[in-house]
Structures are given as structure tokens and as C-alpha cells.
């Protein structure tokens, strides 16, 4: 999807109103309209990049620093007991809006938020194959 038809472009640039927690020249941080838990927020760059692969290194670095700043302040405000910082790339990985964003999901006792996976076991063949492919 191009930037012109992208809802997060419109939100990030203030064309569509949002519950904005923070804004600077590069990013807007908003409350998610379908929160996983109370205070679930999204970091949106103001420019359109579909995913992390496309995000310039400089913005990627700034986004992580901003995530740290936001969860530090939000944790105090919300009184949550933990945070998940989640970032989906690709439909198979759960991405539904193809404008890069970082989820900041506060965690509370017994909140029922379903993030996680069943741990498998790293096989010798997978380990060797991946290490070999990453050398190329
Ligand atoms: P993802 O599945 O990682 O692409 O996340 C997209 C997120 O955007 C979901 O958590 C949605 O609830 C949220 N979302 C979609 N549209 C809006 C909107 N207009 N304002 C705020 N959050 C939105
Ligand atoms: Zn966009």
C-alpha cells in the first residue's frame, strides 16, 4: 500500500485525529483502538515505510530509544507490571497495517493477553543449517 492510501500515514501526520501520547518530528505515539490491554500504544513514523526491512537505520534506532522512553513513562502512569514491545512484519507474522509500527503492550496480572509460543527444541540439523546459511 502506498503512503497516500495509508491510514497510519494519515494518523501520524494529524490528518485523522488520534489519542496522541507523544509527538516529535519523526514519530507519533497513539493509543491503539483495539487494545490488547489497557494502555496499548503504537509508535508510528511520520513517513511511510511498510515494515522494518524498509525502515532506515537511523529511524530504527530512534524508534527503539522512543519505545524505551514511552514504556518507562507509561509504566509509571499505568501501574502495569511488565511490557511487551512487539513489532510484526508480514501478514503471516500478524501484520495487518502495512505502515511500520511498534506495539507497546502493558502487562497486568491475569490480563489474558495471548502473546507467546510453545517452545520447541533446537535440532542439530537446524542449528548447523542456519549457521551455515548465515555465513554466506
Ligand atoms: P498489526 O497487526 O501489527 O499490523 O497492528 C495493527 C494495529 O493497529 C492493531 O493493534 C489495530 O488495533 C490497530 N489499529 C488499526 N487501525 C487503527 C486506528 N485507526 N487507530 C488506532 N489503532 C488502529
Ligand atoms: Zn503509511
Amino acid at each position: 500500500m502506498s503512503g497516500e492510501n495509508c491510514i497510519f500515514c494519515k494518523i501520524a501526520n494529524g490528518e485523522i485525529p488520534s489519542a496522541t501520547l507523544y509527538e516529535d518530528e519523526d514519530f507519533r505515539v497513539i493509543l491503539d483502538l483495539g487494545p490488547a490491554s489497557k494502555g496499548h500504544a503504537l509508535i508510528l513514523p511520520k513517513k511511510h515505510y511498510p515494515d522494518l526491512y524498509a525502515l532506515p537505520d537511523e529511524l530504527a534506532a530512534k524508534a527503539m530509544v522512543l519505545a524505551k522512553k514511552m514504556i518507562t513513562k507509561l509504566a509509571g502512569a499505568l501501574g502495569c507490571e511488565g511490557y511487551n514491545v512487539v513489532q510484526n512484519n508480514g501478514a503471516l507474522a500478524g501484520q495487518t497495517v502495512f505502515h511500520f509500527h511498534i506495539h507497546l503492550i502493558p502487562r497486568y496480572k491475569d490480563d489474558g493477553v495471548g502473546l507467546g509460543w510453545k517452545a520447541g527444541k533446537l535440532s542439530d540439523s537446524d542449528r548447523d543449517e542456519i549457521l551455515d546459511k548465515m555465513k554466506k
Side-chain angles (χ1 to χ4, degrees):
M1 183 191 284
S2 75
E4 285 134 55
N5 302 318
C6 170
I7 187 158
F8 279 5
C9 276
K10 294 189 171 90
I11 292 172
N13 290 288
E15 290 164 46
I16 294 178
S18 62
T20 295
L21 302 174
Y22 173 87
E23 184 183 2
D24 62 25
E25 62 177 356
D26 297 312
F27 298 99
R28 184 184 293 270
V29 183
I30 65 166
L31 288 177
D32 193 306
L33 281 185
S37 65
K38 183 180 173 182
H40 181 168
L42 301 171
I43 297 179
L44 313 177
K46 290 189 172 178
K47 287 192 185 151
H48 183 84
Y49 303 101
D51 50 33
L52 183 58
Y53 307 110
L55 192 71
D57 288 358
E58 190 199 344
L59 278 184
K62 282 183 178 174
M64 190 49 91
V65 173
L66 181 54
K68 175 182 171 178
K69 202 189 304 190
M70 293 305 305
I71 69 166
T72 302
K73 188 161 180 201
L74 279 162
L78 296 167
C80 59
E81 293 175 33
Y83 249 98
N84 291 111
V85 177
V86 177
Q87 200 277 306
N88 300 326
N89 296 285
L92 207 62
Q95 187 175 7
T96 58
V97 180
F98 292 85
H99 174 124
F100 172 88
H101 52 281
I102 297 176
H103 295 263
L104 307 176
I105 304 175
R107 300 304 305 269
Y108 308 90
K109 192 169 184 321
D110 299 325
D111 62 17
V113 175
L115 294 168
W117 54 88
K118 189 171 162 286
K121 183 168 181 345
L122 177 62
S123 66
D124 291 351
S125 61
D126 279 358
R127 180 198 61 209
D128 294 346
E129 177 194 329
I130 295 161
L131 289 176
D132 189 47
K133 283 180 172 162
M134 289 304 288
K135 279 186 204 142
K136 289 172 187 159

